[in-house]
Amino acid sequence: MGTVGTHQIATRNPKTSESPAHTVASTFIVKASNPARTLNDLKGKRIAASDKSSFDGWLIAQGELARQGLDPESHFTEVMETDYAVPDVATLVRIGAADAGVLSTCEYESLLKSGLIKTGEFHILAERPKDGGCVRSTDRYPDVVFSSLPWVNAETVREVTVAILSMPSDKLEFHWTVCNDFVPTYELLRTLSIGPFAGSNDLSLAAIWARWKTEILLGLLLMAAVAFHIVTINLLVQKRTHQLSEAIAETERFFRAAQEARNALLTIERTNIVAQLSSMFAHEIKQPIMNISLYAGAIRLLLDRLGISASAKAQVSEILDSLGEEVERSVEIVDHVRSYAKKRPRSLVLVNLAEVVADAVKTVEERGLHIENRLPDALWVKADPFEMLFILSNFIRNAAAAIKGEPSGRIVLEAADWDTQWQVSVVDNGPAMSDEVFAQLGKAGASNKPDGLGFGLAIAAAIAEANGGHIEFERLHPHGLSAKLILAKSDGEKREKFPIAHNSDIELNGKS
């Protein structure tokens, strides 16, 4: 019960017993010729028992010795166990091998009935009244118990209990019942320091720890609690001050977070306004652009009528051709903006990024800008040519703005082959960029230019993703930035739109 949690469901009760709590007992016997009449007279003698682990055959007898103030462990010089074999306890006493013996409940009457001993052959020590039962020398205790273990199914326990308690007993000398008093048994175990009370008389440190572990731990915890209380009282002011500092810091963090959220909301509002204005501009600017084209055509007709010289006419025609190209470029830009506003599906075609980069270089108007082109001849991808031109032009213009005013400023165009992808990089050697500015690259509304709206790189990032790629930025050391466009490769025939300078230096608006 103290270790695995067994629980009594039935107790054996002989018909000679009036109470299941007072059933079994031990009997001390000596030869009739033995002068001993009390248990104290057996000190230093030899005693026989069936089994030292037998409840009524030895343990109850030990409890009686202890009750009379005798030491059950040292009272006898020798305890002879028969192990229920021959010769039995009575025989060992009869032949003088043992001075006394211990018999279990009603064993004395059974030996008389079977004729194994004779009336008057033995004397009962410390005999108690029979009270309708068998002879005894000790108090009575509960008999054999049926117990259930805690992991057994409750229905099984119920069925077994019912079966045991309803077992017919008319042909038996006992019946099964329920005992409600096991206190004497527990007191016996406590007295003998066995079962759940094993080692209770041991005063060694290990035994004391085993018996009083809970109390010792509680005492130590109490001492620790007192010490902790003293320390916490001394540190309370410091702790509260620290908590107040943390609360102030947390309030500041909340304020900054609210401010950032407010700025983000303003950025979204600006983005929406720019988007609306872009749609309006694309809608309204197309007609003036067409008028410019018509005026250029009218100038050509006028030149034919005026009859000016061929050389002058050639120069004006060259200017008009350039004007026409710019008009076509403007119309293309407007058409793209209008397609975004109308959410038309994107059409991807085979594009050579090397040609797009060469075209993007023409959009830069910085005088004396030095660009080193290291791109290969063919960088075929499937994408929208105009959108790729927008991204790469944005990269080049940003690089040009970064090195503006730098005597040794230069821009390098290069590509990397990543098995299934092309990486086109625009690298500049501009001034070092702070962590805060670098973290804002590609985010809407963030710009380090005085006249910038902060939407160029954000739009470029969205366009790259829409074309199945993405853009990346890398800070170079000790200074400079690398802006990268990464797109999936595509096989296709090489299409030469215009010559590109490869592995050469380009200086815009200069002599070389």
Side-chain angles (χ1 to χ4, degrees):
M1 295 174 68
T3 55
V4 297
T6 59
H7 180 73
Q8 176 222 179
I9 61 175
T11 303
R12 184 178 181 272
N13 187 29
K15 293 179 178 179
T16 57
S17 176
E18 297 180 357
S19 170
H22 304 91
T23 299
V24 297
S26 297
T27 304
F28 288 94
I29 63 170
V30 294
K31 288 175 63 175
S33 59
N34 192 318
R37 288 296 179 266
T38 65
L39 296 180
N40 190 48
D41 295 336
L42 296 179
K43 183 173 178 59
K45 305 297 183 180
R46 295 170 299 175
I47 192 167
S50 298
D51 186 352
K52 285 185 178 181
S53 63
S54 171
F55 187 55
D56 55 348
W58 178 247
L59 297 180
I60 294 178
Q62 281 193 307
E64 182 62 23
L65 290 171
R67 191 186 69 82
Q68 295 188 19
L70 306 175
D71 185 358
E73 296 296 331
S74 62
H75 190 67
F76 303 104
T77 57
E78 182 182 0
V79 179
M80 305 171 65
E81 292 183 88
T82 67
D83 294 323
Y84 304 98
V86 178
D88 61 355
V89 172
T91 301
L92 291 175
V93 175
R94 181 191 297 119
I95 65 176
D99 298 302
V102 177
L103 301 178
S104 58
T105 307
C106 295
E107 186 178 359
Y108 182 78
E109 285 77 7
S110 297
L111 292 174
L112 286 174
K113 186 176 181 180
S114 64
L116 294 177
I117 63 174
K118 297 177 182 180
T119 304
E121 184 178 1
F122 296 96
H123 176 70
I124 307 300
L125 294 182
E127 185 175 0
R128 303 284 187 91
K130 292 184 178 181
D131 299 330
C134 300
V135 296
R136 60 189 177 92
S137 303
T138 66
D139 292 334
R140 292 193 180 102
Y141 296 84
D143 200 354
V144 176
V145 173
F146 261 102
S147 295
S148 65
L149 294 168
W151 52 81
V152 179
N153 181 271
E155 182 62 22
T156 302
V157 174
R158 186 191 69 80
E159 292 177 356
V160 172
T161 304
V162 171
I164 293 174
L165 295 179
S166 61
M167 183 183 297
S169 61
D170 50 344
K171 296 182 180 180
L172 301 175
E173 295 179 354
F174 66 92
H175 66 275
W176 293 100
T177 185
V178 176
C179 179
N180 62 349
D181 184 10
F182 282 94
V183 173
T185 302
Y186 271 101
E187 291 302 323
L188 175 63
L189 299 178
R190 188 192 305 275
T191 299
L192 300 179
S193 299
I194 59 177
F197 307 102
S200 59
N201 294 329
D202 188 356
L203 298 179
S204 63
L205 292 178
I208 292 174
W209 171 255
R211 289 199 306 274
W212 305 101
K213 177 170 59 178
T214 302
E215 290 76 5
I216 293 173
L217 289 176
L218 288 175
L220 292 176
L221 286 174
L222 180 60
M223 294 173 61
V226 172
F228 177 75
H229 177 71
I230 294 173
V231 172
T232 52
I233 289 297
N234 293 332
L235 297 177
L236 185 59
V237 175
Q238 181 179 356
K239 180 180 179 181
R240 295 303 184 192
T241 303
H242 180 66
Q243 290 176 343
L244 181 60
S245 300
E246 287 185 343
I248 294 174
E250 188 70 17
T251 302
E252 292 177 351
R253 283 195 293 270
F254 284 145
F255 176 77
R256 287 195 297 270
Q259 198 168 27
E260 291 174 0
R262 191 180 304 109
N263 293 336
L265 181 60
L266 293 175
T267 299
I268 293 173
E269 292 178 352
R270 288 176 58 201
T271 303
N272 291 334
I273 293 171
V274 170
Q276 293 175 8
L277 291 176
S278 298
S279 298
M280 293 172 57
F281 176 78
H283 181 270
E284 299 296 333
I285 199 64
K286 191 169 185 178
Q287 186 61 42
I289 291 175
M290 294 304 299
N291 291 339
I292 293 173
S293 179
L294 292 175
Y295 289 148
I299 292 174
R300 288 181 185 276
L301 294 176
L302 182 60
L303 289 176
D304 292 336
R305 292 179 183 180
L306 292 176
I308 62 176
S309 65
S311 60
K313 184 177 180 181
Q315 292 178 359
V316 174
S317 296
E318 184 178 355
I319 295 172
L320 291 175
D321 290 339
S322 299
L323 178 62
E325 290 178 2
E326 295 304 317
V327 168
E328 290 178 4
R329 186 189 298 274
S330 300
V331 170
E332 186 178 0
I333 293 172
V334 170
D335 287 341
H336 271 81
V337 173
R338 288 169 61 86
S339 68
Y340 296 146
K342 295 182 179 182
K343 298 183 179 179
R344 294 174 182 170
R346 181 175 278 98
S347 177
L348 304 182
V349 298
L350 205 59
V351 179
N352 185 357
L353 291 180
E355 297 177 352
V356 176
V357 170
D359 206 11
V361 170
K362 297 178 182 179
T363 66
V364 183
E365 299 177 354
E366 290 292 334
R367 180 175 298 275
L369 183 64
H370 187 74
I371 301 178
E372 181 181 347
N373 187 0
R374 300 178 183 175
L375 297 177
D377 292 334
L379 300 170
W380 293 100
V381 297
K382 268 196 172 182
D384 185 310
F386 169 77
E387 293 179 346
M388 297 303 100
L389 178 63
F390 175 86
I391 295 173
L392 294 169
S393 298
N394 200 290
F395 284 178
I396 295 173
R397 283 197 294 270
N398 285 342
I403 64 174
K404 187 175 182 179
E406 298 286 339
S408 59
R410 62 188 293 113
I411 299 173
V412 178
L413 309 176
E414 55 189 11
D417 187 347
W418 286 7
D419 293 334
T420 60
Q421 293 177 316
W422 286 118
Q423 175 185 286
V424 177
S425 303
V426 178
V427 183
D428 66 70
N429 60 347
M433 187 175 294
S434 67
D435 293 341
E436 183 179 357
V437 173
F438 183 75
Q440 294 296 321
L441 287 180
K443 295 183 180 180
S447 176
N448 57 351
K449 300 177 183 177
D451 57 346
L453 294 177
F455 293 105
L457 292 179
I459 296 174
I463 289 175
E465 292 179 3
N467 283 267
H470 63 279
I471 65 175
E472 294 180 357
F473 302 98
E474 179 185 0
R475 278 189 296 184
L476 306 179
H477 297 285
H479 51 79
L481 180 72
S482 174
K484 306 171 183 179
L485 170 63
I486 301 170
L487 289 170
K489 290 181 178 180
S490 179
D491 296 331
E493 295 181 359
K494 180 178 179 183
R495 299 178 298 168
E496 293 291 348
K497 289 176 62 178
F498 42 76
I500 308 174
H502 300 293
N503 298 319
S504 61
D505 292 343
I506 302 173
E507 187 168 343
L508 299 183
N509 299 322
K511 295 183 179 180
S512 60

